[in-house]
């Protein structure tokens, strides 16, 4: 349902964005009568969503009362589940982190064990922040595999045995839970925290595999079924002998992902199993590892060059485990992208390492939950309940 212009949800959107800090601002921006604005604001205050304080500067007479989000009675959580880790960030309604934690955790332990661990950590973080469980309004979760976003169910994730079609949101009972692919929440976290003024952004995660989160017109783009950005399975010519876990061959991640580089290093007599092992070898100055990472950058650049011509982003952000040696990885990516893309598409293009680093997914998942809760449709439901 599309909210009516000037609804309580629209009013809260203006307040949360900082576009309006007084009732006069709201009347000016919406064109609504002051009496109508008062009704909307009073309803938001009654529901504990907004608070009004006398902290504005006076221009003669009584100081204007300032409107802002009420942070005390609303908490949100962002959960980053990787193949071998779990990061949880507890946030207030403005997106400020109240408490956070990180643990080693195998996603292969299955949904029941992993989600029980997450639930336990949520209780601990709420206690640390001195917030009761009842103020937890929504939880966002990023997982390392494809997700049907509308239902929150993982869809045949190759590194998540036992998770296929598991109803993750139902595990947490009465709390709203949104589940998305990890690179999508990374893109959201990076965009909102580091590039809020950019409208078109690609976030490329280069870890064990390779994926891409797409921000178009300032909004996360998932495609029809939520599989947009799965660039790790785009075919790379000249590598037909490289088998991929998807069952095809010559996929980008099968030749340029962290696991693929580790496998090639092992064949060269340099034992490596993960992207982290590759990073360690590069940081130690190993010339073979340096060469393979730069070569991987060129291969990734070939795919990104096509995306640049097609999508015309303003910024490409490189994240994931291999971004920790970004000077070598990005050298290969930039070399190919700027050579193979159209000059108009690269004229103002920036290719840069992630600024939010390992926090990107947890922050993005938390912001996913907050933005869902503050959406005009949801706020109107709360106010009209």
């Amino acid at each position: 349902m599309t909210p009516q212009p000037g609804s309580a949800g629209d009013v809260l959107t203006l307040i949360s964005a900082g576009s309006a800090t007084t009732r006069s601002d709201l009347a000016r921006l919406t064109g609504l009568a002051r009496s109508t604005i008062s009704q909307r604001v009073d309803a938001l205050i009654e529901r504990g969503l907004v608070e009004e304080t006398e902290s504005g500067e006076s221009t003669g007479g009584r100081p204007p009362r300032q409107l802002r989000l009420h942070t005390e009675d609303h908490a949100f959580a962002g959960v980053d589940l990787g193949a071998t880790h779990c990061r949880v960030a507890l946030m207030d309604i403005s997106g400020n982190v109240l408490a956070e934690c990180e643990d080693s955790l195998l996603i292969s332990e299955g949904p029941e064990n992993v989600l029980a661990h997450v639930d336990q950590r949520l209780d601990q973080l709420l206690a640390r922040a001195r917030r009761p469980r009842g103020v937890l309004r929504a939880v966002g979760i990023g997982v390392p595999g494809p997700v049907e976003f509308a239902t929150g169910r993982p869809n045949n994730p190759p590194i998540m045995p036992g998770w296929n079609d598991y109803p993750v949101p139902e595990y947490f009972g009465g709390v709203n839970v949104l589940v998305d692919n990890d690179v999508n929440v990374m893109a959201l976290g990076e965009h909102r925290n580091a590039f809020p003024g950019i409208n078109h952004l690609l976030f490329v995660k280069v870890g064990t595999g390779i994926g891409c989160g797409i921000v178009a017109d300032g909004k996360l783009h998932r495609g029809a079924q939520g599989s947009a950005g799965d660039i790790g399975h785009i075919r790379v010519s000249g590598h037909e002998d490289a088998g991929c876990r998807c069952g095809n061959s010559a996929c980008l991640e099968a030749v340029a992902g962290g696991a693929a580089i580790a496998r090639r290093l092992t064949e060269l007599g340099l034992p490596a199993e993960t992207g982290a092992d590759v990073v360690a070898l590069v940081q130690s100055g190993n010339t073979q590892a340096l060469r393979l990472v730069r070569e991987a950058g060129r291969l990734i650049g070939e795919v990104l060059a096509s995306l640049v011509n097609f999508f015309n982003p303003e910024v490409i952000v490189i994240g994931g485990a291999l971004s920790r040696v970004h000077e070598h990885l990005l050298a290969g990516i930039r070399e190919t992208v700027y050579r193979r893309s159209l000059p108009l598409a690269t004229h103002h293009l920036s290719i840069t390492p992630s600024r939010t680093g390992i926090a990107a997914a947890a922050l993005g998942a938390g912001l996913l939950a907050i933005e869902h809760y503050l959406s005009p449709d949801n706020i109107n439901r709360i106010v009209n309940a």
Side-chain angles (χ1 to χ4, degrees), residues 39-51:
Q39 291 174 355
R40 303 284 189 267
V41 171
D42 290 345
L44 293 170
I45 292 174
E46 183 181 344
R47 294 294 181 183
L49 294 162
V50 168
E51 57 186 355

Side-chain angles (χ1 to χ4, degrees), residues 187-223:
L188 188 66
E190 187 78 22
H191 179 261
R192 300 296 192 263
N193 284 282
F195 299 97
I198 296 297
N199 287 322
H200 299 89
L201 175 147
L202 297 178
F203 186 100
V204 181
K205 176 191 174 187
V206 187
T208 300
I210 299 174
C212 180
I214 305 167
V215 174
D217 246 353
K219 299 176 182 177
L220 201 59
H221 175 76
R222 298 184 179 87

Side-chain angles (χ1 to χ4, degrees), residues 7 13-14 18 33 62 73 87 90 93 111 114 138 155 157 170 186 199 201 221 250 264 292 323-324 344 375 383:
S7 68
T13 296
L14 291 171
R62 187 174 181 179
D73 297 331
R87 297 186 187 95
L90 185 70
I93 201 169
V114 170
N155 187 267
E170 296 176 15
M186 286 178 174
N199 287 322
L201 175 147
H221 175 76
R264 291 183 64 187
L292 290 179
S323 69
R324 284 151 50 196
L344 181 61
S375 66
V383 169

